[in-house]
Amino acid sequence: MANRLAKETSPYLRQHADNPVDWYPWGQEALAEAKRTGKPILLSVGYSACHWCHVMAHESFEDPAIAQVMNDLFVNVKVDREERPDIDQIYQAAQAMLTQRTGGWPLTMFLTPDQVPFFGGTYFPNKSRYGMPAFPDLIAKVREFYDTHPEELRQQEAQLSAALQRMQPRAGDGEPELTRAPIDLAFEQLAESFDARNGGFHGAPKFPHAETIDFLLRFHATASDAASGKRALEMATLTLTRMAQGGIYDQVGGGFARYSVDATWTIPHFEKMLYDNAWLLRVYADAWSITREPLFARVCEETVGWVMREMQSPAGGYWSSLDADSEGEEGKYYVWTVDEIRSLLSKEEFAVASYAYGLDQPPNFEGHAWHLRIANPAFTLEREVGLNEGQSQALLDAAREKLRLARDKRVRPGLDDKVLTSWNAMMIGAMAHAARVFGQPEWLDSARRALEHIRREMWRDGRLLATARDGRAHLDAYLDDHAFLLAALLDVMQAQFRAEDLAWAREIGEALMERFHDPAEGGFFFTANDHEPLIVRPKPGPDNATPSGNAVAAWALNRLTFLTDEMRFTEAARDTIGLFMPQLSRMPSAFGTMLAALEEQLDPPDTLILRGARDRFGPWREMLDPAYLPTTTVLFVPSEAAGLPPPLAKPATEAVDAWLCEGAMCRAPILDPVQLRNELGLAKIDVSAKAAPPHRSLS
């Protein structure tokens, strides 16, 4: 018989619906049961694409004997960390305090009926190994301790609750001084940890750290020291190149895996997350804008292809993730034998693929298979295979397509098909941004379909919801949902301006101010002021797997000020950055997104407003859309747009006039694209077939 999880929207929770464990979802029913019985809570947090979550489920949660012990001793609560990031971040922090170890998933925590944790860890095996106790023995000892040490637990409860409160940032006396020092220090810290051979930072496991690459690209554009700016670009582009050539990138189907288990980007942890690919799509598009490197354009085109082909629902929303496992094995869907590849390709295709992917070398996956990576970059194929670069690339492209079609017939990894507002907002913004950079209207259409899905299904009576699946949307949205959606609307408006998008952006901004902003201390709480009570109300600042909600809110609200004349937005942004300045000053490299917001407080962003007939925007767009302008909002406002706020309500003519506004001060209108190019210091754009997909106007 299925347990209570069968009625949930989360595919991860529903995967546990047939467990013999008497699972509860997080909520009042579970908390009330713990209070009624006096049992402690066993909290298990994971997500659908998590390999070790599946391992622990198979070993322990599907075992009737272990489940019986769990049911006898605890109120068992299962949480999807993607639907309940509030629960996850609170108890990840508590786990780190209790164990002095980093967290992860599955997260296994033991709580009092008052929700305060007293013991925890991550994965525990069903039998003693890896230096860890057997899970059934562990839970029996935890319950024994709970029953026999009530006074010690009360003392620990008070101490831990106080420690969690102390973790939250606090405003100091007086207004903090905002300076560029954290920006320069962040570059120095990143330069010290940079892997000059393989790209990326630190050793294995190696994560893409898109926020760091984004910071380096911005630093390159704004650095006062030409040498450090050049070095920043080298660090960013080497990392992007090595990732694009590595196994973390799906050489057959496009898109990026979560991280690499080695320092050379060769073997990934095979799960594919929507948010990673959104952030990486954006930085690859920006890197192409700066360098015109064809590899970066190809990665964008293939990643978008994967998103639209495999991750967008018929209703428009983007799904959340693909599992690392298929048929019970991690990576099985993605790896190959040489004989399989040879059987699918022509002799010429195999010759190129074998050399490009290094198939003449020892297997790189568990000693028996190949996970494809570019072992020999394409420009060397002429020397080794006797074909010029164009011929070699055409054969490799044909080989990749044959491999993709063959792979599509395999048993696919599990799909987490819930729609998360925050992750969708990240992809909507990235798709709209890439559509603008490369002039790809169908990419913008994809972004708009997802945006309309969010507005239709997850925006109810002026309130945003966090998650949806099969037509059921629920859970109050968090800071990230609002902040990321506001930022996405700014991207969509730059690709295609609509007054209704600006009106919605203002509504989202007002919701951030009314329900999340802390007027006393500054910054934004992760949960709204009418959210269910938890043991702490977090106010996170550093970037994590996704950008910091506080940082994105500060960045986006500041930009929204210059479109609406609403000064409360930029004041809240400034106070947010000021709240985190002590942390920024100590470890700025952990705050890549906040550094972008800081930069735009120190030097207000430009707003470039082009007003005129829609059919005359073409030459202006061809110049501006592919340009890297990280501190400028560019809006093409058609003559017929009405009901505009004062900053955008420029006179409409049949021609096109461009107003370049620095902060709130606008120059006289510019009437000629060449003059504007000179004002912005832009080089003449050469968008060739080699460098990118054919550029078409979005107008």
Side-chain angles (χ1 to χ4, degrees):
M1 180 181 295
N3 57 44
R4 298 171 188 82
L5 302 184
K7 298 179 180 179
E8 293 298 304
T9 56
S10 161
Y12 173 68
L13 297 187
R14 292 164 72 97
Q15 288 169 7
H16 295 268
D18 293 321
N19 291 171
V21 178
D22 186 20
W23 289 116
Y24 289 80
W26 181 277
Q28 288 305 310
E29 183 184 5
L31 301 176
E33 179 66 8
K35 292 268 191 180
R36 185 187 70 80
T37 61
K39 289 182 178 180
I41 296 167
L42 193 165
L43 173 66
S44 177
V45 182
Y47 60 103
S48 180
C50 168
H51 172 73
W52 286 102
C53 298
H54 298 322
V55 172
M56 190 166 179
H58 296 324
E59 290 180 348
S60 294
F61 304 151
E62 296 172 7
D63 185 314
I66 295 176
Q68 187 62 53
V69 178
M70 294 172 64
N71 295 338
D72 289 344
L73 301 182
F74 299 93
V75 173
N76 300 290
V77 177
K78 175 61 75 172
V79 164
D80 182 341
R81 64 106 173 176
E82 297 167 356
E83 286 196 338
R84 294 303 304 262
D86 53 338
I87 301 296
D88 182 57
Q89 65 179 272
I90 288 171
Y91 292 106
Q92 290 284 357
Q95 191 273 158
M97 287 183 179
L98 288 169
T99 67
Q100 299 299 301
R101 296 179 180 176
T102 57
W105 301 278
L107 178 67
T108 307
M109 296 298 289
F110 299 89
L111 322 180
T112 69
D114 293 323
Q115 308 174 38
V116 179
F118 61 92
F119 185 76
T122 52
Y123 163 79
F124 291 103
N126 60 339
K127 297 178 181 178
S128 179
R129 59 180 181 273
Y130 313 131
M132 292 184 286
F135 186 61
D137 297 337
L138 174 76
I139 59 178
K141 291 179 180 178
V142 169
R143 179 57 196 269
E144 179 185 4
F145 181 86
Y146 175 81
D147 290 337
T148 58
H149 295 76
E151 183 57 33
E152 188 174 335
L153 282 174
R154 277 192 290 271
Q155 292 176 1
Q156 179 177 298
E157 182 175 343
Q159 293 169 355
L160 186 64
S161 297
L164 287 169
Q165 294 294 340
R166 287 195 300 271
M167 284 183 63
Q168 306 311 309
R170 292 285 183 266
D173 296 331
E175 185 174 341
E177 181 184 6
L178 305 188
T179 74
R180 187 180 167 83
I183 297 173
D184 294 329
L185 178 57
F187 172 72
E188 293 173 9
Q189 291 177 341
L190 293 170
E192 289 177 1
S193 63
F194 181 63
D195 181 345
R197 180 181 179 86
N198 301 301
F201 302 87
H202 306 292
K206 188 170 279 186
F207 289 79
H209 288 302
E211 78 286 358
T212 297
I213 301 169
D214 182 58
F215 166 78
L216 291 170
L217 295 177
R218 289 177 63 102
F219 189 87
H220 161 74
T222 60
S224 56
D225 176 21
S228 61
K230 180 181 178 182
R231 176 62 175 150
L233 182 61
E234 290 170 348
M235 291 161 62
T237 54
L238 178 65
T239 301
L240 293 171
T241 299
R242 292 291 185 264
M243 286 197 300
Q245 294 171 342
I248 191 173
Y249 182 67
D250 184 351
Q251 301 293 337
V252 170
F256 289 85
R258 180 73 190 92
Y259 63 87
S260 173
V261 301
D262 52 66
T264 61
W265 308 107
T266 299
I267 302 298
H269 184 40
F270 286 90
E271 65 194 39
K272 279 184 171 181
M273 314 300 293
L274 186 71
Y275 59 81
D276 287 318
N277 285 279
W279 216 347
L280 288 167
L281 173 60
R282 177 182 295 277
V283 296
Y284 271 95
D286 283 342
W288 177 84
S289 290
I290 298 169
T291 66
R292 298 300 190 265
E293 166 55 53
L295 175 62
F296 300 161
R298 180 172 68 80
V299 166
C300 290
E301 192 168 20
E302 292 171 0
T303 298
V304 168
W306 168 72
V307 171
M308 294 174 64
R309 184 177 65 247
E310 299 188 31
M311 299 303 290
Q312 188 158 28
S313 74
Y318 297 117
W319 291 319
S320 294
S321 64
L322 290 177
D323 207 331
D325 298 6
S326 57
E327 300 183 83
E329 295 182 28
E330 183 176 8
K332 184 173 182 179
Y333 180 75
Y334 296 98
V335 301
W336 302 86
T337 67
V338 171
D339 288 343
E340 282 180 294
I341 295 175
R342 183 183 287 108
S343 70
L344 293 166
L345 305 182
S346 70
K347 181 179 179 181
E348 294 79 8
E349 290 165 349
F350 180 77
V352 172
S354 178
Y355 180 72
Y357 296 134
L359 301 181
D360 57 339
Q361 301 170 14
N364 61 19
F365 185 74
E366 297 183 353
H368 67 86
W370 277 259
H371 178 57
L372 300 184
R373 64 183 182 90
I374 299 297
N376 298 292
F379 67 83
T380 67
L381 290 174
E382 182 175 2
R383 181 178 69 250
E384 299 294 334
V385 184
L387 300 169
N388 66 39
E389 183 177 341
Q391 293 170 320
S392 297
Q393 189 62 55
L395 286 168
L396 189 61
D397 289 344
R400 290 171 61 253
E401 182 63 11
K402 287 182 179 180
L403 294 176
R404 185 183 70 80
L405 293 173
R407 196 178 72 177
D408 284 347
K409 298 175 183 178
R410 296 176 176 177
V411 176
R412 299 178 66 82
L415 169 69
D416 189 323
D417 60 352
K418 66 178 178 291
V419 173
L420 296 169
T421 298
S422 60
W423 296 8
N424 267 251
M426 287 185 68
M427 185 57 78
I428 290 165
M431 290 284 279
H433 180 69
R436 179 165 61 91
V437 168
F438 293 108
Q440 295 291 314
E442 62 271 25
W443 300 3
L444 179 59
D445 290 343
S446 172
R448 278 217 169 272
R449 288 200 298 123
L451 185 65
E452 290 308 312
H453 183 268
I454 297 298
R455 184 157 195 167
R456 182 178 64 250
E457 302 293 333
M458 305 172 84
W459 178 250
R460 305 279 178 82
D461 301 321
R463 292 178 71 95
L464 194 60
L465 299 175
T467 184
R469 184 175 181 268
D470 292 340
R472 178 189 169 200
H474 71 131
L475 297 179
D476 288 338
Y478 305 98
L479 168 63
D480 289 3
D481 300 293
H482 291 79
F484 296 178
L485 182 56
L486 174 55
L489 285 164
L490 294 176
D491 277 314
V492 170
M493 284 190 285
Q494 292 185 82
Q496 184 184 61
F497 181 83
R498 293 180 182 177
E500 56 266 35
D501 291 335
L502 180 57
W504 193 17
R506 181 155 189 163
E507 286 185 87
I508 298 295
E510 294 290 351
L512 278 167
M513 296 296 295
E514 293 169 10
R515 302 181 60 227
F516 295 87
H517 183 235
D518 182 353
E521 296 278 345
F524 295 85
F525 292 107
F526 189 75
T527 54
N529 53 18
D530 55 356
H531 194 76
E532 66 176 286
L534 300 171
I535 60 172
V536 68
R537 193 179 177 198
K539 195 186 288 183
D543 292 317
N544 207 306
T546 55
S548 158
N550 264 284
V552 175
W555 178 89
L557 285 170
N558 186 52
R559 289 211 172 189
L560 188 61
T561 290
F562 300 109
L563 307 185
T564 62
D565 261 356
E566 179 51 74
M567 296 306 297
R568 290 184 308 129
F569 294 157
T570 193
E571 290 165 1
R574 184 176 182 84
D575 290 345
T576 298
I577 298 165
L579 177 67
F580 289 99
M581 272 303 286
Q583 297 177 42
L584 273 173
S585 300
R586 290 192 300 270
M587 186 49 66
S589 58
F591 290 80
T593 308
M594 192 74 75
L595 293 174
L598 169 62
E599 181 180 42
E600 297 194 7
Q601 282 293 324
L602 296 172
D603 188 7
D606 293 341
T607 306
L608 179 58
I609 304 159
L610 296 101
R611 191 84 198 271
R614 190 186 301 270
D615 61 1
R616 297 194 179 184
F617 284 150
W620 300 80
R621 275 203 174 277
E622 289 176 11
M623 175 184 68
L624 292 168
D625 284 351
Y628 184 61
L629 298 169
T631 60
T632 304
T633 302
V634 181
L635 296 176
F636 288 84
V637 183
S639 301
E640 65 270 19
L644 300 172
L648 303 187
K650 307 300 183 186
T653 66
E654 285 302 310
V656 177
D657 295 344
W659 279 264
L660 181 59
C661 307
E662 299 169 341
M665 301 297 295
C666 296
R667 303 183 192 179
I670 298 170
L671 310 181
D672 178 60
V674 174
Q675 182 186 352
L676 180 59
R677 179 189 294 126
N678 294 335
E679 289 280 343
L680 296 174
L682 298 179
K684 185 174 175 62
I685 305 299
D686 177 20
V687 183
S688 66
K690 176 182 176 182
H695 195 281
R696 289 169 281 165
S697 173
L698 297 181
S699 301

